[in-house]
Amino acid sequence: MTDEDPQAGQRVRRRASRSAGPTGADADAAAVVVPTEKKSAEQKAAEQKSAEQKSAEQKAAAPVDLGKPDTPQEKVVSGDQVAAKAEPAGTAETPAETAVDTPVRSKPRAGLVVGIAVASVIAVALAALTVFLLVDRNKASNADEDRARYVAGARTTALNLTTLHADTAAADLDKFLAGTTDEFKSQFDGRKDSFVNVLGQAGVQTDGEVLEAGFEKSDGDCGTSLVAVRAMQKNGDEAPAERNYRLRITMCDVDGQLLASNVEFVP
């Protein structure tokens, strides 16, 4: 049919080509344009969907949105602010930990201070005790020395009192009285000569010997001792006889000198 009627065939081809669509460059343009329009629509749909999703996410994340600093509540619950508030809390824990650790660390220091204080108290106490013991020892030593002096003075007084001879009676009596106080000497006032005469007439010879002596008591500057004396005594031509005496003699410190203030014969 084409060969027989070429014009009719061309018309048929044009009609057919026109009805089938563009050819050549038009077909290429159509192929480019149509996909471009479809792609733009899909992009629009995807962008719209993405916008909707972003809007939904923004709405969902609105309470914790970091971009709204004007709401105080959102500041408190925001991530940055929570972190910012967590950091002061963390730093606040440091003083707390320090406050907790401080007593623990201060215990050695406190123990050291207490140890030093106790050592100081002990040192002071020991020093005070040492001074007290030294003073007490000095007092005891002084007391012992005083007692020894009192006993020695009593021994000398007893020996002078029991050692008398008729031919030296006055000198012997003066020797004895030289170791006595003025009050004791006053007891011989007016009787000294008569006593010497009696000793001379009787021919008394007595030689004393101290057997024992011990300290009895003290009273102020005076000390009393007991002295045991044995005397070999004879009168005239008689044979010597042993006589034993116990004397209580009180010695007093008078201006640094020990003097007998009282002599008693003890049965």
Side-chain angles (χ1 to χ4, degrees):
M1 290 179 66
T2 306
D3 295 335
E4 291 178 357
D5 194 358
Q7 295 180 354
Q10 289 179 356
R11 292 178 182 177
V12 172
R13 288 194 196 100
R14 291 178 182 173
R15 291 178 183 176
S17 62
R18 290 180 180 174
S19 60
T23 61
D26 294 336
D28 296 334
V32 174
V33 171
V34 172
T36 303
E37 292 177 354
K38 289 181 179 181
K39 187 176 181 181
S40 177
E42 291 176 356
Q43 289 180 351
K44 289 181 179 181
E47 290 177 357
Q48 184 175 1
K49 186 176 180 180
S50 176
E52 290 176 356
Q53 290 179 353
K54 289 182 179 180
S55 177
E57 291 176 356
Q58 290 178 356
K59 289 180 179 180
V64 292
D65 189 6
L66 302 178
K68 294 181 179 181
D70 54 344
T71 305
Q73 292 80 1
E74 293 178 354
K75 288 182 179 181
V76 174
V77 299
S78 62
D80 293 339
Q81 292 177 353
V82 169
K85 292 183 177 295
E87 291 178 358
T91 54
E93 290 177 359
T94 302
E97 293 176 357
T98 303
V100 173
D101 294 338
T102 299
V104 177
R105 294 177 181 175
S106 62
K107 283 182 180 179
R109 296 179 181 177
L112 181 60
V113 172
V114 172
I116 293 174
V118 172
S120 300
V121 172
I122 293 174
V124 172
L126 290 176
L129 181 61
T130 302
V131 172
F132 174 78
L133 292 176
L134 290 175
V135 172
D136 187 66
R137 182 178 179 181
N138 290 333
K139 288 183 178 179
S141 179
N142 294 334
D144 292 340
E145 291 179 359
D146 291 341
R147 291 174 182 177
R149 291 176 61 210
Y150 292 144
V151 173
R155 292 171 66 95
T156 301
T157 301
L159 186 62
N160 292 335
L161 181 60
T162 56
T163 302
L164 298 171
H165 299 89
D167 53 351
T168 59
D172 293 340
L173 184 59
D174 289 340
K175 183 179 180 180
F176 168 72
L177 293 177
T180 62
T181 62
D182 293 338
E183 293 179 356
F184 190 87
K185 290 177 183 178
S186 64
Q187 297 177 9
F188 288 85
D189 290 345
R191 294 185 297 175
K192 178 180 178 182
D193 293 338
S194 61
F195 182 76
V196 170
N197 291 332
V198 170
L199 290 177
Q201 293 176 1
V204 175
Q205 301 288 332
T206 177
D207 294 310
E209 179 185 1
V210 176
L211 300 178
E212 293 183 3
F215 184 79
E216 182 180 20
K217 63 180 180 179
S218 62
D219 183 12
D221 293 334
C222 298
T224 301
S225 302
L226 292 175
V227 183
V229 181
R230 180 177 61 190
M232 298 301 293
Q233 180 179 345
K234 76 172 185 173
N235 294 327
D237 295 334
E238 297 179 359
E242 182 178 326
R243 302 288 178 89
N244 293 317
Y245 304 100
R246 281 204 312 168
L247 303 175
R248 176 178 283 115
I249 301 174
T250 301
M251 304 295 297
C252 293
D253 188 347
V254 180
D255 297 333
Q257 183 180 4
L258 284 180
L259 300 175
S261 63
N262 190 32
V263 177
E264 298 178 7
F265 286 89
V266 180

